[in-house]
Amino acid sequence: MSKKTLAVKLSKLKPFFKPKQNLEQYPTDSDVGATALWEADLIGWINGKEVADLGAGTGILGLGCLLMGAKNVFFVEKDADCLVTLKENIQNLSEEYELGKYEIVNKDISHFEKKVDLVVMNPPFGTKIKGADMKFLEIAMLISDKIVSFHKTETSDYISKFVHDRNYTVNQKIDLPFALKNTMSQHKKRIERISVTAWLIERKP
Ligand code: SAH
């Protein structure tokens, strides 16, 4: 599958029906998701691998991995409401493609302990629950040597230190200006765009 086709397929997925502010339910933009997953697959991180999508939401990242040939994807998401949409998205794509295996895990990420080859995640950025993004990174590091994660570009210095302090190294860092569409009601402008950085990190050998 080409990067363009991947982006188009991801753009057709159903978004959050009613995004919840307290859970920071912001969907990953399809081009942004496709760019990061494409780079990850180029270095051999996705095809044939076992992946956990932490805070899966409506599934864009994990489904992108299945489209790129992941062997098995765990969609870990604590909000049961958005899983209805996730299931529809899986159903629609599997009518068109022969996807790998998957499992929907309706749990808080801190209760998911299976070791995987790769974690993909667009974690809450910690604007509602302080430190939520770092908790996601910590848990990802417990279960995987390789992680694709999105963070606000303005926190890059902090993320870089966090990564290096924990014996991980940055394989790639992709700045994606105006990446995140923020459509929640507390904001004056209906759509605000936030600069996001995709991090491809791995444990040092
Ligand atoms: N991965 C999706 C959603 C990102 S929004 C995408 O890229 O579009 C972050 C998601 O994490 C939300 O769906 C939210 O419900 C979920 N979430 C937040 N805290 C969580 C936790 N502690 N455990 C599991 N899921 C969580």
Side-chain angles (χ1 to χ4, degrees):
M1 174 168 300
S2 72
K3 181 170 155 185
K4 178 80 197 145
T5 311
L6 177 65
V8 170
K9 290 294 161 195
L10 297 183
S11 74
K12 297 205 169 128
L13 297 175
K14 292 194 177 163
F16 288 103
F17 179 57
K18 276 191 190 158
K20 293 182 183 160
Q21 278 181 29
N22 59 336
L23 291 172
E24 298 189 45
Q25 292 183 329
Y26 303 120
T28 303
D29 173 85
S30 49
D31 281 323
V32 164
T35 299
L37 295 179
W38 183 260
E39 293 298 331
D41 190 53
L42 271 185
I43 51 173
W45 287 14
I46 297 181
N47 194 278
K49 304 293 184 190
E50 194 154 61
V51 181
D53 180 353
L54 298 185
T58 59
I60 185 164
L61 296 175
L63 283 164
C65 291
L66 284 172
L67 287 171
M68 297 304 288
K71 183 173 74 179
N72 191 10
V73 173
F74 296 94
F75 294 92
V76 187
E77 170 59 58
K78 72 173 176 187
D79 175 30
D81 290 341
C82 64
L83 295 180
V84 178
T85 312
L86 168 65
K87 284 177 193 161
E88 284 178 50
N89 282 332
I90 295 174
Q91 178 62 34
N92 290 343
L93 271 191
S94 56
E95 281 167 15
E96 205 181 340
Y97 293 95
E98 202 168 313
L99 302 176
K101 289 193 288 182
Y102 66 87
E103 198 177 309
I104 296 171
V105 184
N106 187 196
K107 279 185 184 172
D108 191 290
I109 58 156
S110 51
H111 301 305
F112 181 76
E113 288 171 352
K114 179 143 186 8
K115 297 266 192 292
V116 290
D117 301 312
L118 174 70
V119 162
V120 291
M121 59 187 195
N122 187 358
F125 290 154
T127 45
K128 286 284 160 193
I129 306 163
K130 212 170 148 29
D133 45 351
M134 294 304 140
K135 181 183 160 205
F136 267 65
L137 260 185
E138 258 165 25
I139 287 167
M141 287 173 173
L142 291 175
I143 62 170
S144 184
D145 290 346
K146 295 186 168 50
I147 301 166
V148 175
S149 185
F150 296 85
H151 298 273
K152 269 190 189 171
T153 302
E154 64 188 51
T155 64
S156 288
D157 288 348
Y158 189 75
I159 301 288
S160 176
K161 186 172 183 322
F162 190 93
V163 166
H164 290 108
D165 284 353
R166 281 157 184 82
N167 213 35
Y168 277 71
T169 173
V170 179
N171 184 302
Q172 277 185 68
K173 180 172 170 282
I174 312 164
D175 287 330
L176 302 151
F178 316 115
L180 190 131
K181 278 186 230 149
N182 186 343
T183 54
M184 293 193 192
S185 54
Q186 89 255 34
H187 298 277
K188 291 190 199 89
K189 279 181 289 173
R190 196 168 145 67
I191 293 183
E192 181 193 356
R193 289 183 179 270
I194 298 172
S195 294
V196 168
T197 299
W199 295 76
L200 278 61
I201 64 171
E202 60 188 324
R203 198 187 300 275
K204 284 185 192 154

